[in-house]
Amino acid sequence: MLGFFKRGKKREEPRESEADIYREIVSEAAKAYRAVKRGFRPPPGFREVESYHLYEPWARARILQNPETGETLYWIDEIPMSAMERNIYSRIMDILYWELRPPPMGVDPTEYFRREARRIVIRYRLRLGRTPGVSWAKILYYVERDTIGFGPIDPLMRDPNIEDISCDGVGRRIYVWHRRYEYIPTNLVFNSEEELDALIVKLVHMAGKHVSVAFPIVDAILPGGHRLAVTYRKEVSTSGSTFTIRKFREDPITIVDMIRWGTVSPEVAAYLWMLIEHKMTGLVIGVTGAGKTSTLNALATLLRPTLKVVTIEDTPELRLPLENWVQLVSRPSYGIGIEKIGEVTLYDLIKVSLRYRPDIIIVGEVRGEEAYVLFQ
């Protein structure tokens, strides 16, 4: 007896959707948080005195001290990628380089690039299928860090305790000014000129400026209000590219803070308030890093909200809690050599500001001919 058997269709594995993969990536991040590196060992001679998260669970700050020498070290502790993860990361960055397009008008660039980076990571994960031993959440962290973030210094930019980040050239440790430990070195070093130059170009572009061997000095404001000063390659610095970032404090210093810290007494604060109320002329003088801008911001909180205030700066640093406030910023020339086409100086802005009928004029820095106005 012959039997006829119907051949059944081969059972197909259920396909993963992009939503499934994104949930998997989020789940990986949660697992990484629970199992975040507990076996950290400080360098020989150092002991850990403090640690805190910068970006859970991927980056952590560890403050190390050497009891014998008294040296303090700021250690950036990021979860490292494996060799396979680094390979996948490199391929995804190449895809981003070729496929990423400028954001549409009216769309927040940061959110746009974050969304596109996640889309490409998920698509690449779909194409590869299951990859045991590979953390896609970790890869996504590094992709976002190096595209919409600040690259290798992103953990430092996330630390609210850091006020200043300084890179003095290739092969030199990056220093930070910590609120509790002041200037201390980190474990972050740029060992190649290409790597440091690439970061310099990235930071300058994030600030909306241009840097090149023809224009090797740039002073700009990064997203978030952080002040950036760079020199490019060895045009003006013998050690190669350098940069300094003075971070903008998210919670501005007020006159109450200055009284609590003992910077000024209540009597001096009251006296300054009286001078401001009567629109007296004043100067805030101090060495670099003394807190001149912070003091100006604190004094500005004493201004009556209804006053018309005009601020004039080379780089916009002042953040006034006022509505009736005009912020004017100087502009360098577009010419080369002795030609100065389109330059707008602080003195030009001071003359313009007088036509605004201001109650108060605040000049960020007085270094040139704009100082003549003070003595007229």
Side-chain angles (χ1 to χ4, degrees):
M1 182 176 179
L2 296 175
F4 296 91
F5 299 94
K6 186 177 181 180
R7 180 177 293 178
K9 292 184 178 179
K10 185 179 180 180
R11 186 177 179 182
E12 295 183 356
E13 294 292 332
R15 293 186 176 181
E16 294 178 294
S17 66
E18 292 189 3
D20 293 334
I21 291 179
Y22 186 71
R23 282 193 292 269
E24 177 186 328
I25 290 176
V26 173
S27 176
E28 282 183 12
K31 291 178 182 177
Y33 174 69
R34 290 192 295 268
V36 70
K37 299 163 50 174
R38 298 174 182 173
F40 173 78
R41 292 185 178 180
F46 285 86
R47 61 181 178 85
E48 184 176 310
V49 296
E50 183 183 0
S51 69
Y52 49 89
H53 279 293
L54 300 174
Y55 186 30
E56 297 178 339
W58 313 113
R60 189 178 185 88
R62 300 184 186 273
I63 307 299
L64 312 178
Q65 285 184 344
N66 189 321
E68 295 184 0
T69 63
E71 181 184 2
T72 303
L73 179 63
Y74 184 102
W75 193 275
I76 303 172
D77 187 14
E78 286 185 294
I79 298 181
M81 289 187 288
S82 65
M84 183 179 293
E85 288 167 345
R86 283 196 298 270
N87 184 35
I88 295 174
Y89 161 83
S90 298
R91 294 189 180 187
I92 290 175
M93 293 298 288
D94 289 340
I95 295 172
L96 278 170
Y97 177 80
W98 290 107
E99 292 192 8
L100 210 55
R101 296 291 181 267
M105 292 293 293
V107 176
D108 180 42
T110 301
E111 288 302 319
Y112 171 79
F113 288 127
R114 178 180 286 113
R115 186 170 61 249
E116 288 299 299
R118 289 179 178 177
R119 180 183 63 81
I120 291 176
V121 168
I122 291 172
R123 191 181 69 185
Y124 198 79
R125 162 67 178 79
L126 274 170
R127 188 176 299 172
L128 286 182
R130 294 288 177 179
T131 49
V134 173
S135 171
W136 288 90
K138 190 192 306 180
I139 293 171
L140 181 59
Y141 160 72
Y142 279 99
V143 169
E144 291 187 354
R145 186 200 76 169
D146 295 338
T147 51
I148 61 175
F150 294 92
I153 65 170
D154 192 71
L156 299 176
M157 297 296 292
R158 293 178 179 273
D159 192 341
N161 297 303
I162 290 178
E163 296 185 4
D164 188 281
I165 303 170
S166 177
C167 175
D168 301 328
V170 177
R172 300 185 181 183
R173 293 184 296 180
I174 286 184
Y175 273 72
V176 296
W177 201 97
H178 197 281
R179 290 183 183 176
R180 290 191 289 275
Y181 305 98
E182 298 188 354
Y183 261 123
I184 53 176
T186 71
N187 62 322
L188 181 58
V189 179
F190 292 98
N191 292 313
S192 70
E193 293 183 355
E194 292 76 13
E195 184 183 13
L196 180 54
D197 291 346
L199 178 63
I200 292 289
V201 172
K202 173 184 173 64
L203 293 176
V204 172
H205 286 176
M206 290 177 71
K209 294 292 186 73
H210 167 75
V211 67
S212 65
V213 292
F215 301 95
I217 300 176
V218 176
D219 195 7
I221 294 294
L222 289 166
H226 314 296
R227 182 167 184 174
L228 171 70
V230 308
T231 63
Y232 189 59
R233 295 188 176 176
K234 295 185 178 181
E235 303 303 314
V236 293
S237 173
T238 57
S239 57
S241 297
T242 65
F243 69 84
T244 296
I245 298 174
R246 300 182 67 179
K247 291 180 60 183
F248 174 68
R249 186 181 174 124
E250 294 182 2
D251 51 333
I253 296 174
T254 65
I255 197 69
V256 177
D257 294 325
M258 299 181 71
I259 294 173
R260 188 172 64 250
W261 297 334
T263 306
V264 296
S265 65
E267 293 78 13
V268 170
Y271 177 68
L272 293 173
W273 193 354
M274 184 180 66
L275 294 178
I276 292 172
E277 188 68 21
H278 288 82
K279 302 178 184 178
M280 304 297 289
T281 300
L283 293 173
V284 179
I285 303 173
V287 298
T288 301
K292 299 183 293 296
T293 303
S294 298
T295 301
L296 264 179
N297 273 311
L299 293 176
T301 61
L302 301 176
L303 293 169
R304 279 186 283 127
T306 55
L307 292 178
K308 177 67 173 290
V309 178
V310 177
T311 60
I312 301 169
E313 303 171 87
D314 271 332
T315 305
E317 293 182 287
L318 295 173
R319 299 291 186 273
L320 308 187
L322 302 172
E323 183 179 5
N324 195 12
W325 166 40
V326 178
Q327 188 176 32
L328 301 179
V329 182
S330 64
R331 186 181 71 181
S333 67
Y334 295 104
I336 298 177
I338 61 174
E339 295 185 8
K340 293 186 177 181
I341 303 173
E343 181 182 26
V344 180
T345 66
L346 292 178
Y347 187 59
D348 296 330
L349 294 177
I350 289 177
K351 291 189 292 185
V352 170
S353 69
L354 297 176
R355 300 189 180 97
Y356 280 73
R357 196 179 178 182
D359 294 305
I360 300 290
I361 298 177
I362 301 176
V363 183
E365 292 185 58
V366 178
R367 293 171 296 184
E369 59 181 349
E370 64 274 1
Y372 300 151
V373 180
L374 290 172
F375 306 103
Q376 289 180 354

